[in-house]
Amino acid sequence: NAGVTQTPKFRILKIGQSMTLQCAQDMNHNYMYWYRQDPGMGLKLIYYSVGAGITDKGEVPNGYNVSRSTTEYFPLRLELAAPSQTSVYFCASSLKDRSNQPQHFGDGTRLSIL
Amino acid sequence: QQQVKQSPQSLIVQKGGISIINCAYENTAFDYFPWYQQFPGKGPALLIAIRPDVSEKKEGRFTISFNKSAKQFSLHIMDSQPGDSATYFCAASMYDFNKFYFGSGTKLNVKP
């Protein structure tokens, strides 16, 4: 059981570069999320998706883009990386059925922008 | 506006002691309250969760106490062990949106 898989685990970017953080889940979950976690802080929602083809903004969407063409994949795109985007990024998924279900998290991508 | 407020920010407990972490919320539409445990270098993992129709849920050494009228809930770790040293997050969500609002986290250090 892979669960939620994130790649890469670590990355260093230069200011102005772009990159895509990959996220895949094999649990057939309909909901997927991207969070960022800054040191000593909680999780802030960047974007989320309720199903293939449907995405919506979270608390801190500026500077990011997402797409969801399939149930399994939910990549996060950083355009024109800025030092303020240095963070740990977590992807999560959950199954929405008759009741709330917990989120399952990947192990994160640690991103430094210099 | 922070939807879920968590305290304390850090906690040091002796082995065998009780660790208590508190959370408070404002939105009465929340209907699911999970706690997550996060070890360094890993993503948060679900520890225990409660729905507002019960006042307490216990799983092993971990207990959630829920006070609906006060809009507060807390995590109690009995007989705390060094292996419990981690960061703990409370969260809240509502069925209609399935968005989760996380507390700011509590870093627990259990000393041997």
Side-chain angles (χ1 to χ4, degrees):
Chain A
N1 273 349
V4 178
T5 303
Q6 291 185 239
T7 56
K9 294 189 183 304
F10 304 95
R11 185 72 184 268
I12 297 174
L13 281 182
K14 294 182 179 178
I15 295 172
Q17 287 185 320
S18 300
M19 78 163 293
T20 300
L21 281 65
Q22 301 292 345
C23 176
Q25 54 95 5
D26 61 359
M27 297 172 283
N28 203 30
H29 285 174
N30 44 357
Y31 279 55
M32 295 187 75
Y33 312 79
W34 274 106
Y35 294 91
R36 60 177 287 171
Q37 184 179 33
D38 298 316
M41 304 292 286
L43 295 157
K44 293 187 177 179
L45 183 65
I46 304 171
Y47 271 94
Y48 68 103
S49 167
V50 301
I54 306 170
T55 63
D56 206 349
K57 296 178 181 179
E59 297 174 78
V60 289
N62 291 343
Y64 307 95
N65 276 302
V66 293
S67 61
R68 190 155 179 219
S69 56
T70 66
T71 300
E72 296 81 10
Y73 300 102
F74 190 40
L76 177 71
R77 177 83 177 162
L78 275 73
E79 304 281 2
L80 298 174
S84 61
Q85 293 177 305
T86 294
S87 189
V88 181
Y89 291 84
F90 289 101
C91 178
S93 71
S94 68
L95 180 66
K96 183 176 165 81
D97 53 16
R98 295 186 303 279
S99 64
N100 276 330
Q101 298 295 326
Q103 295 188 339
H104 299 260
F105 286 83
D107 283 339
T109 293
R110 284 147 188 82
L111 181 62
S112 294
I113 298 164
L114 306 174
Chain B
Q1 181 186 0
Q2 195 172 1
Q3 297 269 4
V4 179
K5 295 182 180 179
Q6 183 173 346
S7 63
Q9 188 173 4
S10 62
L11 183 61
I12 299 174
V13 173
Q14 290 294 127
K15 178 182 176 182
I18 302 174
S19 303
I20 301 175
I21 304 170
N22 300 300
C23 284
Y25 64 97
E26 287 297 323
N27 192 337
T28 56
F30 288 142
D31 57 8
Y32 182 66
F33 302 89
W35 283 89
Y36 287 84
Q37 180 186 54
Q38 184 182 29
F39 293 106
K42 293 293 187 179
L46 178 69
L47 185 63
I48 186 173
I50 196 169
R51 301 187 192 278
D53 52 345
V54 296
S55 60
E56 186 176 282
K57 184 173 182 180
K58 184 176 181 179
E59 290 184 1
R61 295 184 294 109
F62 301 92
T63 299
I64 301 178
S65 297
F66 186 81
N67 186 330
K68 190 173 182 178
S69 60
K71 293 185 285 186
Q72 294 175 349
F73 58 109
S74 59
L75 175 69
H76 295 237
I77 306 174
M78 313 300 287
D79 187 25
S80 299
Q81 299 296 312
D84 297 331
S85 297
T87 299
Y88 293 81
F89 293 97
C90 62
S93 73
M94 60 188 88
Y95 177 76
D96 284 346
F97 298 100
N98 215 46
K99 283 168 67 174
F100 285 73
Y101 298 89
F102 286 84
S104 54
T106 296
K107 189 170 184 179
L108 172 65
N109 184 8
V110 181
K111 293 205 174 285

